[in-house]
Amino acid sequence: MRILRYHLKGYMPRFVVHEHHATRLHWDFRLEYAGVLKSWAVPKGPSMDPADRRLAIQVEDHALAYGNFEGVIPVGEYGAGEVSIWDQGTYEPLGDLGEGLQRGNIAFVLHGSRLTGEFALVRFRKGTRGNEWLMFRKQG
C-alpha cells in the first residue's frame, strides 16, 4: 500500500542516474529517500536486460540538490571529472524502503526515460565490506 500513499499525496520520490567520467567511467544511481539521495556507483551502468546483474557499490548519501548537477568536478577534488544526467524520473518503492535498506534488499519501479519497470538492489552477504550490492531489472 506504500505506493498508493505516494499517489494520494500527489508526490513520488525522484531517482537520477549520473554518467560520471572520473578516473574510471561509471554511473551513479541515486534514490531520493529521507531527505537525501541514497547513492550507488555502478561501474557498468544500469541495464534494462533482466539477465544482467550489475555490481553497485553503495557510497555516501548526497544532498537532494545534487540530483540536478551536471558539470565538471575540478581536478584535485573527490570525484574529479565530467558529470551528466544519464536518466532521471520518479520511482515507486515496493515495500518499506527503510526496512529494505537495513535488510539489504530493496525493490522499486522506475519511471524514467531510459530505465522503466521493476528493479531491485540486493546487498552481498559474505566476504564483503557491506557496501556491495547487485542491481538488476526484474522479469516482467
Side-chain angles (χ1 to χ4, degrees):
M1 291 300 173
R2 190 171 216 29
I3 292 172
L4 291 176
R5 286 196 290 172
Y6 284 113
H7 288 296
L8 291 174
K9 291 180 183 177
Y11 177 79
M12 289 181 46
R14 182 173 174 223
F15 84 92
V16 65
V17 180
H18 283 113
E19 184 174 331
H20 192 168
H21 293 263
T23 304
R24 293 196 172 128
L25 173 63
H26 66 279
W27 287 258
D28 293 309
F29 178 74
R30 307 182 196 286
L31 292 174
E32 178 183 344
Y33 175 72
V36 298
L37 292 172
K38 303 301 277 183
S39 300
W40 291 263
V42 184
K44 292 185 178 181
S47 174
M48 285 293 293
D49 183 349
D52 290 341
R53 302 291 191 253
R54 299 295 171 95
L55 176 64
I57 307 296
Q58 189 170 18
V59 297
E60 70 278 354
D61 297 343
H62 285 63
L64 290 176
Y66 194 75
N68 296 321
F69 178 76
E70 288 189 288
V72 177
I73 300 171
V75 173
E77 290 189 27
Y78 177 76
E82 184 179 343
V83 177
S84 61
I85 294 175
W86 183 81
D87 194 16
Q88 62 184 332
T90 60
Y91 79 94
E92 300 172 69
L94 300 175
D96 186 293
L97 200 63
E99 288 177 14
L101 286 164
Q102 287 181 345
R103 267 193 337 267
N105 187 342
I106 59 175
F108 41 87
V109 178
L110 297 179
H111 304 284
S113 57
R114 293 183 181 206
L115 299 175
T116 59
E118 189 174 336
F119 286 78
L121 281 161
V122 179
R123 186 171 42 230
F124 283 75
R125 298 246 182 251
K126 295 184 180 181
T128 67
R129 294 177 294 178
N131 66 340
E132 296 169 339
W133 299 62
L134 282 179
M135 180 182 186
F136 56 93
R137 184 170 192 266
K138 293 190 168 188
Q139 294 279 357

